[in-house]
Each structure stands twice: as structure tokens, then as C-alpha cells.
């Protein structure tokens, strides 16, 4: 292994590290430097269904069908 091979390996290592850490550092700088790329607020427009419906306790044709009003429903087990 020559001196040039070690230097070339080190350059390759730093280039590969830059490919990973470069975008991360750029995003962190844009977020915290006050450059105008920081989000203004949140856009949570969802609401919980009332009354809560337990899927395990209801038959297949349940009262949950009329609650969606054409919108998405979040269902979890």
C-alpha cells in the first residue's frame, strides 16, 4: 500500500460521509439559521369521532359507516 492509496481512501471516505451528512447539515442549518425555511405552524385539522367505536365489539355492518361523511377514517386494532 503506497502513500497515495491511503490518501485516496481517505478522500473517498470523506466523500461518502459528505453524501450522508451534507444534506443533514444543510437541513439543520436552514432550519435553525433563521433563513425563512422554518415552518410557521401546524396544520392539524382532524377530529376524533364521537362516540368511540370498538371494531372488535361491532358487527361488520356497524354504525361506523355513516360517520365518515366521505372523508378518511383512522382505524387501528
Amino acid at each position: 500500500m503506497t502513500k497515495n492509496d491511503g490518501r485516496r481512501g481517505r478522500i473517498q471516505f470523506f466523500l461518502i460521509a459528505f453524501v450522508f451528512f451534507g444534506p443533514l447539515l444543510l437541513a439543520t442549518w436552514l432550519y435553525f439559521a433563521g433563513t425563512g425555511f422554518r415552518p410557521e405552524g401546524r396544520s392539524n385539522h382532524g377530529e376524533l369521532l364521537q362516540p368511540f367505536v370498538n371494531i372488535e365489539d361491532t358487527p361488520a355492518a356497524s354504525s361506523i359507516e355513516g360517520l365518515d361523511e366521505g372523508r378518511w377514517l383512522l382505524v387501528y386494532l
Side-chain angles (χ1 to χ4, degrees):
M1 183 169 170
T2 64
K3 185 177 180 181
N4 196 18
D5 290 340
R7 184 176 183 192
R8 195 171 108 194
R10 214 174 300 125
I11 291 172
Q12 287 177 346
F13 170 76
F14 285 120
L15 286 175
I16 291 171
F18 179 74
V19 166
F20 176 77
F21 288 111
L24 184 64
L25 292 172
L26 177 66
T28 304
W29 177 72
L30 288 174
Y31 185 79
F32 289 112
T35 57
F37 285 102
R38 192 171 211 169
E40 292 289 322
R42 292 172 179 83
S43 61
N44 299 333
H45 298 294
E47 60 186 60
L48 293 174
L49 295 175
Q50 296 294 335
F52 298 111
V53 178
N54 189 349
I55 299 295
E56 294 175 350
D57 296 339
T58 57
S62 67
S63 61
I64 197 169
E65 289 182 35
L67 295 175
D68 63 346
E69 299 174 2
R71 292 185 235 144
W72 284 88
L73 290 176
L74 175 64
V75 179
Y76 69 94
L77 297 175

